[in-house]
Structures are given as structure tokens and as C-alpha cells.
């Protein structure tokens, strides 16, 4: 019976060590994620499909807004990118 109890205690100790190591790893990942979220250098962009989905715009409307200067954009190859912070500013500036 004592051998069985010792095995249980060893198993519990092993389990506690694994949980402690896992908890430390999760804390490390969590702190790295928080650091990345706090960086100001990360810029988020919308693509055409994002604008269509998020705002219900058609392809023609997006093209018209680009050509008339309503939508500031960056072109990377054949892909049009719209900086999220600039789109947010346009929305704030046009609130009624």
C-alpha cells in the first residue's frame, strides 16, 4: 500500500511540475502578446474585400473613392491597401 501511495505522490509531483512549466510558458506568451499590442509601429490595413464586407461598399464605389481622393491608399503590386487608422479618421470626421 505504501508503494502505491508513493507512486501517487510521484505522479502528483510530476503533474505539478508540468502544470507549473505550462503556466510559466503561458505567462511568457501573454507578456509577449501584450508587448506587441503596445507597439506603435504596427500598422493595420484594409484591402478591397475588407472594405466591401465591413462597410457594404461596391467595387465601383471603392474605385471612385480612390480616384477622387476620398480614400487614401497605398498600392503594392496589384493590391490596394487602405490604412485602417486613416479610414477610422475619415469615419470620425464625417460623423453626423
Amino acid at each position: 500500500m505504501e508503494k502505491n501511495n508513493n507512486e501517487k505522490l510521484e505522479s502528483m509531483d510530476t503533474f505539478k511540475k508540468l502544470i507549473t512549466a505550462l503556466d510559466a510558458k503561458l505567462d511568457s506568451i501573454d507578456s509577449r502578446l501584450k508587448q506587441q499590442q503596445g507597439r506603435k509601429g504596427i500598422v493595420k490595413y484594409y484591402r478591397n474585400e475588407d472594405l466591401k464586407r465591413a462597410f457594404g461598399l461596391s467595387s465601383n464605389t471603392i474605385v471612385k473613392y480612390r480616384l477622387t481622393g476620398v480614400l487614401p491608399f497605398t498600392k503594392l503590386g496589384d493590391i490596394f491597401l487602405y490604412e485602417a487608422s486613416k479610414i477610422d479618421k475619415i469615419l470620425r470626421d464625417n460623423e453626423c
Side-chain angles (χ1 to χ4, degrees):
M1 180 103 181
E2 189 174 320
K3 184 178 180 181
N4 208 7
N5 284 339
N6 285 340
E7 287 175 359
K8 286 181 183 178
L9 288 175
E10 287 176 18
S11 294
M12 287 177 63
D13 286 341
T14 303
F15 181 73
K16 286 180 184 178
K17 288 177 186 176
L18 288 172
I19 293 296
T20 302
L22 179 62
D23 188 46
K25 187 68 172 173
L26 289 172
D27 284 342
S28 170
I29 292 169
D30 189 45
S31 67
R32 280 187 278 166
L33 286 173
K34 286 180 182 175
Q35 285 175 350
Q36 286 180 349
Q37 289 172 349
R39 291 183 187 164
K40 293 185 180 184
I42 297 174
V43 180
K44 295 183 181 180
Y45 290 92
Y46 290 113
R47 294 174 70 168
N48 286 341
E49 292 302 315
D50 300 323
L51 294 178
K52 290 179 194 178
R53 247 190 329 271
F55 304 110
L57 300 174
S58 69
S59 294
N60 289 339
T61 301
I62 293 171
V63 170
K64 180 176 90 174
Y65 286 172
R66 265 198 325 256
L67 294 174
T68 59
V70 172
L71 276 176
F73 66 93
T74 299
K75 189 172 180 188
L76 184 63
D78 292 336
I79 300 171
F80 291 94
L81 300 170
Y82 311 90
E83 192 173 325
S85 63
K86 290 181 181 179
I87 302 298
D88 292 342
K89 183 181 180 327
I90 291 168
L91 294 172
R92 279 192 311 274
D93 291 348
N94 289 291
E95 277 184 338
C96 295

